[in-house]
């Protein structure tokens, strides 16, 4: 399951960052994205390590890291690589929000992302009263490894 970068919020907006543990660029980007998550109460930010969650993403081929999936509810509004600068994600979100209902769901999306979106949707249904993630998930969200 993608790991929250901040306390889950009651909002339809979600940013999922797809990265890999071995990617040095992603390591620094996670800290910056966590800071953005803390300052943006309108959006849930999730970290998805495509290797740790290989069962979930299947054969998804992420060619350039970091890659970002932006959802409004279960509608994917953006998927693709971004520069490792959180300002780019913040600007993208601002444009999508400004477009309101004019922002349309993507016509094409890698089918390997469907289970990710479905699991996020199921998590929303299950989280009527959000509870904190188990300690292992918190460790993984902070970038700590099992010792």
């Amino acid at each position: 399951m993608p790991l929250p970068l901040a306390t889950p919020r009651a909002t339809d907006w979600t940013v999922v960052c797809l990265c890999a543990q071995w990617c040095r660029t992603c390591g620094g980007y996670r800290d910056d994205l966590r800071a953005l998550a803390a300052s943006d109460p309108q959006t849930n930010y999730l970290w998805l390590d495509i290797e740790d969650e290989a069962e979930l993403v299947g054969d998804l081929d992420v060619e350039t890291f970091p890659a970002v999936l932006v959802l409004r509810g279960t509608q994917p509004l953006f998927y693709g690589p971004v520069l490792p600068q959180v300002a780019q994600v913040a600007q993208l979100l601002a444009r999508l929000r400004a477009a309101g209902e004019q922002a349309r769901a993507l016509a094409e999306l890698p089918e390997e992302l469907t289970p990710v979106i479905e699991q996020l949707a199921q998590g929303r249904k299950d989280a009527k009263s959000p509870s904190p993630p188990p300690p292992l998930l918190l460790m993984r969200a902070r970038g700590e490894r099992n010792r």
Side-chain angles (χ1 to χ4, degrees), residues 76-139:
L77 301 178
F78 176 85
Y79 172 69
V82 295
L83 294 173
Q85 302 164 352
V86 293
Q88 186 180 25
V89 172
Q91 290 168 355
L92 172 64
L93 282 168
R95 285 194 309 270
L96 290 170
R97 285 191 183 109
E101 293 302 315
Q102 301 300 320
R104 294 210 163 99
L106 293 174
E108 293 184 31
L109 187 72
E111 65 184 46
E112 293 87 356
L113 285 175
T114 301
V116 173
I117 295 169
E118 289 172 352
Q119 187 168 9
L120 291 173
Q122 184 61 44
R124 273 198 195 103
K125 289 178 191 171
D126 295 343
K128 292 180 182 166
S129 59
S131 59
L136 177 59
L137 290 183
L138 285 174
M139 284 176 46

Side-chain angles (χ1 to χ4, degrees), residues 14-142:
T14 303
V15 172
V16 181
C17 184
L18 294 92
C19 283
Q21 180 67 30
W22 53 262
C23 174
R24 281 188 263 162
T25 300
C26 292
Y29 189 65
R30 181 187 342 213
D31 294 336
D32 294 342
L33 200 61
R34 188 175 283 129
L36 178 62
S39 70
D40 180 6
Q42 298 178 1
T43 309
N44 285 304
Y45 290 83
L46 304 172
W47 188 264
L48 178 61
D49 186 309
I50 64 166
E51 291 178 345
D52 287 351
E53 302 294 338
E55 202 171 295
L56 178 61
V57 296
D59 292 330
L60 179 66
D61 186 19
V62 179
E63 294 179 18
T64 304
F65 292 107
V68 169
L69 171 66
V70 178
L71 302 166
R72 182 180 55 212
T74 58
Q75 290 188 324
L77 301 178
F78 176 85
Y79 172 69
V82 295
L83 294 173
Q85 302 164 352
V86 293
Q88 186 180 25
V89 172
Q91 290 168 355
L92 172 64
L93 282 168
R95 285 194 309 270
L96 290 170
R97 285 191 183 109
E101 293 302 315
Q102 301 300 320
R104 294 210 163 99
L106 293 174
E108 293 184 31
L109 187 72
E111 65 184 46
E112 293 87 356
L113 285 175
T114 301
V116 173
I117 295 169
E118 289 172 352
Q119 187 168 9
L120 291 173
Q122 184 61 44
R124 273 198 195 103
K125 289 178 191 171
D126 295 343
K128 292 180 182 166
S129 59
S131 59
L136 177 59
L137 290 183
L138 285 174
M139 284 176 46
R140 290 177 62 198
R142 292 183 189 126

